Amino acid sequence: MMNLDDATIERMAEAAAEAVDCVRVLRKGGDNLVGEVLRGNGTFTEWEHYPPDDVYDPETHAQYYFHAHPPEERGWHDYGHFHTFLRPAGMPPGTRPAPGNAPADAGAGDEAALSHLFAISMSREGLPVRLFTTNRWVTGETWYAADDVIAMLDRFVIDLPRPSWPLNRWITAMAVLFRPQIEALLRGRDLAIARRRTAHPDTDVFEDRGLEITSALDISLVDQVAAVKAAWDARSSRITSA
């Protein structure tokens, strides 16, 4: 946190307050973040998307869904996870897929070349416990270089009332609150791909089923909020003493 500029710390502090408030108001009603995305969708079924048609903001072109894997197919224990995306219409002008990664169906429009940003692994209690990135085949995305995906993060905004306004506000805030970690994971993702390609030069690395999770990091919402508060307090002290 100490190497971040004041503007970034301020944005992260605002996102921390937002994320905490969303969790607080849901707890007040006896609910949690996972319960919000599953509400009204019947029996929770592994591999299914929740909500069934994903959450898509037509103004920002940001998208997410929640799902879970069978326990024997998980690389770690979680209750399920959110996958976040941005479609091309929401990307910074001039953004292009990495070489050799044009959409399989170039005529499919906005759906075809979406980018996976990051995923959030959740506990049964409905709290975030891990951030991770995935290989291309996992979500069927189009691959963009890490720096291009990092440039997309500011554009991940879900400003919708459904399926849950607190959930949408929370997942939007997470992209800001954990921005340094997400950037590091995206760069680690590209490094993992490069290493795998070197080790298996005759394999299409993006379709390699032996590489699913490209980077991961355990997180704590409480610890991150505390770290941001400490950085904010240090910033305030500098301004006061200047």
Side-chain angles (χ1 to χ4, degrees):
M1 295 294 177
M2 298 304 295
N3 296 324
L4 300 176
D5 60 69
D6 287 351
T8 299
I9 293 171
E10 183 172 4
R11 290 187 66 229
M12 291 174 67
E14 292 170 353
E18 178 88 334
V20 168
D21 198 45
C22 292
V23 172
R24 176 196 63 80
V25 74
L26 288 173
R27 281 181 171 173
K28 187 176 180 180
D31 300 312
N32 64 47
L33 296 159
V34 171
E36 288 294 281
V37 77
L38 298 180
R39 188 187 309 280
N41 286 296
T43 303
F44 182 32
T45 304
E46 291 159 348
W47 293 116
E48 294 293 328
H49 286 204
Y50 293 90
D53 296 322
D54 298 5
V55 179
Y56 172 64
D57 189 321
E59 184 175 273
T60 65
H61 305 281
Q63 179 175 340
Y64 76 86
Y65 64 83
F66 180 84
H67 80 164
H69 297 185
E72 65 275 10
E73 295 186 20
R74 297 174 186 163
W76 51 65
H77 176 72
D78 70 8
Y79 188 67
H81 41 269
F82 293 96
H83 285 287
T84 67
F85 304 86
L86 192 68
R87 296 189 191 180
M91 294 176 186
T95 304
R96 296 289 182 270
N101 280 274
D105 181 1
D110 200 26
E111 290 273 5
L114 85 173
S115 174
H116 183 263
L117 305 178
F118 60 95
I120 310 172
S121 187
M122 305 294 289
S123 70
R124 180 176 289 275
E125 294 72 32
L127 290 173
V129 294
R130 187 176 295 103
L131 296 171
F132 63 97
T133 65
T134 60
N135 200 355
R136 184 182 68 183
W137 65 267
V138 177
T139 62
E141 64 171 310
T142 292
W143 195 265
Y144 295 82
D147 285 344
D148 288 326
V149 182
I150 288 168
M152 299 176 197
L153 293 174
D154 286 339
R155 295 170 177 246
F156 180 77
V157 177
I158 303 290
D159 186 30
L160 298 170
R162 291 181 293 274
S164 163
W165 192 43
L167 172 59
N168 291 341
R169 289 171 57 202
W170 173 83
I171 202 165
T172 299
M174 288 289 286
V176 180
L177 177 56
F178 285 92
R179 178 64 176 263
Q181 290 93 335
I182 294 169
E183 289 190 9
L185 287 170
L186 287 166
R187 292 195 171 98
R189 177 202 74 161
D190 281 17
L191 183 59
I193 289 291
R195 288 172 173 167
R196 189 78 175 187
R197 181 183 282 123
T198 298
H200 302 275
D202 297 327
T203 301
D204 180 352
V205 65
F206 297 114
E207 297 302 318
D208 184 351
R209 265 46 180 182
L211 179 61
E212 178 179 2
I213 304 302
T214 47
S215 60
L217 176 70
D218 290 348
I219 62 169
S220 162
L221 184 58
V222 171
D223 290 350
Q224 184 75 354
V225 169
V228 171
K229 182 180 184 303
W232 177 259
D233 289 346
R235 170 190 180 275
S236 300
S237 297
R238 289 198 308 272
I239 293 173
T240 301
S241 60

